[in-house]
Amino acid sequence: MDPSHLRGEQYEDEHVHEVYEQIASHFSSTRYKPWPIVERFISTLHPGSVGLDIGCGNGKYLTVNPDIFILASDRSPNLVRIASTHNRPHVSLAADVLSLPHPLRTFDFALSIAVVHHLSTRERRINAIEAILAMLRPPWSSDKTVSGEPGRALIFVWALEQKSSRRGWDEGDDQDVLVPWVVKGGSQQQEKSSRMKQRKGKKGTRGSTMEEQVPQPDAETKPGPRAPSEVSSVPESEGRCNDKDSSKTYQRYYHLYRKGELEEDIETAGGTVLESGYERDNWWAICAPSMLNSYSTGS
Amino acid sequence: MKILTLNFVTCARKACKASPAAFPLRPREAELEIVEQDINPLFVRNVLPRLEWDALREVCGELGLQQLPSTAPSPDDLFTTTPAAADTAMADAADAHEPRPSQLLRDLHTLLLETTMRSGKLVCGNCGHEYAVKEGIANFLLPSHLV
Ligand SMILES: [Zn+2]
């Protein structure tokens, strides 16, 4: 693992954004089942609610509730393109959690599922949570309520304590890890791999990587941003890509949250935790801007 | 990108968040299309009071769409009831007579949810930054020197 002072925005470009751009289609094919707590949160929102899905990935939560309006965003334009194929009545757009293109203190709800753990320093994770909270209609505002309630955010992050999972991490382990994602060979994936090489370092829109993939049979038996089961131990320091036979390995950065850490970060970011828990390898919390908090500029 | 979206996006740059000139973003070179969608009267009724009506009017003006009235319609104008409703207490009319969506509600549905921007640009009135809309998707990712 690289030392923390080397992490930050550029590090995330390489170890988060570029990886998702490349694996978008394969990743999407393994992410089709909504997680129960997220589904419950979305389906109990009042009709006419307007909110955000920040880090929407392939947009799997856009089909849950047709009586609300979700502005779904992701840092990966390829994933946004996939999300846009089934986003009605919602909308999907490309945006970064640290530069959200939305008016402050406006929304009834925000989802941020498996996003905050991709930010590579504590300061950036807290900034992200601040940015999410700043979008919500605060408790002291009575304007334009649909439900009469202040805005709430649901945040999910990967847990350090998951010793019964395939990865087996637990209390005391290093919380900052690179996790391999293996795209198995096959002509299509292989083609993508070589394409990535040519384009390494280039910015801009990629060619279509949106072909439908056959879902991995057991890829989402448990919720969690986990790789397909054929992933084996790839040395974490080996770098982002690794040609071996006909498969390709990408390394994604994660900060694994220990028990209580999500609540601490939310409070440091000026939020109040309303409800929180652990669900199969993930910590989650429902939170709102704190009444005691004096943020007003959102910056 | 639905027209409704333009009521809920602004410039992504921090420096613009506090500026009234940044909202709404101005559509330019917009190519519009109608993408049909099932009407959801309850959604339209509930979302109406939360719209920034002036911003919606401005956007419609820029896009050359219909001229909207200067103030937002009242929720009462969104439904029509059968004549018999007049006999009932007004408060109960909605429940008793299955109000039907009015033409106004249908027009709002078409404007907000079916009229979409296929391509073009969204321009910040404060800093002038242009966000591209391609294949119906707006891209708000900033080049690193603007973050
Ligand atoms: Zn601006």
Side-chain angles (χ1 to χ4, degrees):
Chain A
M1 191 71 234
D2 301 286
S4 67
H5 71 273
L6 294 179
R7 301 203 295 264
E9 191 187 345
Q10 283 184 357
Y11 184 84
E12 290 155 22
D13 276 342
E14 181 176 346
H15 287 292
V16 180
H17 308 149
E18 189 64 15
V19 177
Y20 278 108
E21 233 0 40
Q22 296 301 331
I23 69 174
S25 158
H26 182 242
F27 174 82
S28 175
S29 68
T30 65
R31 296 289 184 280
Y32 46 87
K33 210 168 115 192
W35 299 354
I37 285 177
V38 186
E39 198 169 14
R40 188 196 70 188
F41 180 86
I42 301 171
S43 54
T44 54
L45 292 163
H46 291 258
S49 294
V50 179
L52 308 173
D53 181 355
I54 300 166
C56 65
N58 66 356
K60 69 176 171 180
Y61 295 110
L62 299 180
T63 54
V64 174
N65 188 342
D67 296 328
I68 61 176
F69 184 55
I70 304 177
L71 295 107
S73 59
D74 202 278
R75 186 66 179 66
S76 161
N78 280 343
L79 283 172
V80 174
R81 234 166 276 137
I82 294 170
S84 74
T85 60
H86 55 87
N87 66 3
R88 284 203 272 169
H90 311 292
V91 70
S92 45
L93 41 93
D96 189 300
V97 62
L98 295 178
S99 298
L100 290 170
H102 306 292
L104 301 170
R105 298 180 291 278
T106 298
F107 296 95
D108 299 304
F109 66 93
L111 306 170
S112 178
I113 310 303
V115 171
V116 173
H117 57 210
H118 281 314
L119 290 143
S120 58
T121 66
R122 179 162 196 246
E123 189 188 8
R124 290 171 64 77
R125 290 189 289 276
I126 289 169
N127 287 344
I129 297 171
E130 268 173 358
I132 293 163
L133 292 169
M135 292 295 135
L136 299 172
R137 197 182 46 246
W140 56 88
S141 158
S142 59
D143 288 351
K144 299 181 175 170
T145 53
V146 171
S147 60
E149 293 163 8
R152 292 174 305 153
L154 173 60
I155 300 176
F156 257 79
V157 290
W158 216 3
L160 176 64
E161 299 84 352
Q162 45 170 304
K163 67 167 177 262
S164 60
S165 80
R166 179 158 39 80
R167 304 201 174 276
W169 293 308
D170 202 3
E171 204 182 328
D173 287 343
D174 189 355
Q175 289 181 256
D176 296 290
V177 297
L178 287 171
V179 177
W181 177 280
V182 174
V183 178
K184 279 274 264 198
S187 52
Q188 194 177 43
Q189 300 296 355
Q190 194 52 33
E191 187 193 317
K192 242 180 274 166
S193 303
S194 50
R195 209 190 283 161
M196 199 212 76
K197 256 194 187 155
Q198 291 161 9
R199 290 179 173 174
K200 190 178 171 184
K202 277 193 198 167
K203 286 279 167 199
T205 318
R206 300 304 192 285
S208 167
T209 51
M210 295 165 56
E211 300 87 351
E212 281 292 303
Q213 304 279 321
V214 179
Q216 303 285 321
D218 65 344
E220 189 125 342
T221 50
K222 288 182 183 181
R226 56 184 51 243
S229 55
E230 64 269 29
V231 171
S232 57
S233 59
V234 172
E236 284 181 4
S237 56
E238 207 167 292
R240 55 192 292 257
C241 300
N242 172 26
D243 264 316
K244 203 162 91 183
D245 302 325
S246 60
S247 65
K248 186 112 195 154
T249 302
Y250 299 90
Q251 301 284 359
R252 286 172 303 163
Y253 169 85
Y254 282 89
H255 176 78
L256 303 169
Y257 270 77
R258 58 174 165 70
K259 183 178 166 63
E261 187 179 2
L262 178 59
E263 289 89 336
E264 281 168 34
D265 282 3
I266 288 168
E267 275 155 31
T268 307
T272 302
V273 176
L274 305 171
E275 202 182 333
S276 64
Y278 179 87
E279 192 186 51
R280 292 182 288 179
D281 308 339
N282 287 273
W283 294 109
W284 61 270
I286 295 173
C287 55
S290 167
M291 287 293 275
L292 303 172
N293 177 31
S294 59
Y295 81 78
S296 55
T297 62
S299 60
Chain B
M1 196 196 59
K2 298 168 211 306
I3 297 303
L4 178 60
T5 312
L6 290 169
N7 224 265
F8 296 102
V9 293
T10 182
C11 188
R13 296 179 70 180
K14 284 205 169 46
C16 293
K17 281 283 190 286
S19 165
F23 180 85
L25 296 172
R26 319 274 161 84
R28 294 272 186 274
E29 298 160 37
E31 186 196 325
L32 299 179
E33 67 180 348
I34 298 286
V35 180
E36 280 185 23
Q37 192 179 303
D38 294 340
I39 191 164
N40 184 335
L42 182 59
F43 175 81
V44 176
R45 189 193 74 186
N46 285 356
V47 88
L48 181 63
R50 20 176 337 144
L51 294 179
E52 297 291 343
W53 189 256
D54 290 344
L56 181 64
R57 288 186 76 214
E58 218 174 305
V59 162
C60 287
E62 302 252 4
L63 291 171
L65 295 168
Q66 77 235 49
Q67 178 85 45
L68 293 177
S70 56
T71 54
S74 139
D76 298 338
D77 301 333
L78 298 179
F79 296 92
T80 54
T81 47
T82 56
D87 301 333
T88 329
M90 284 310 289
D92 297 324
D95 293 326
H97 294 274
E98 278 295 314
R100 289 171 293 111
S102 66
Q103 189 57 43
L104 177 68
L105 190 148
R106 291 178 189 284
D107 290 347
L108 280 169
H109 167 75
T110 300
L111 171 65
L112 297 171
L113 294 155
E114 294 189 318
T115 308
T116 65
M117 191 166 160
R118 175 94 200 128
S119 67
K121 294 171 187 165
L122 300 173
V123 184
C124 173
N126 189 52
C127 73
H129 190 70
E130 296 181 348
Y131 299 94
V133 180
K134 287 178 189 158
E135 295 167 56
I137 298 171
N139 187 336
F140 290 97
L141 298 175
L142 293 167
S144 55
H145 69 280
L146 293 183
V147 171

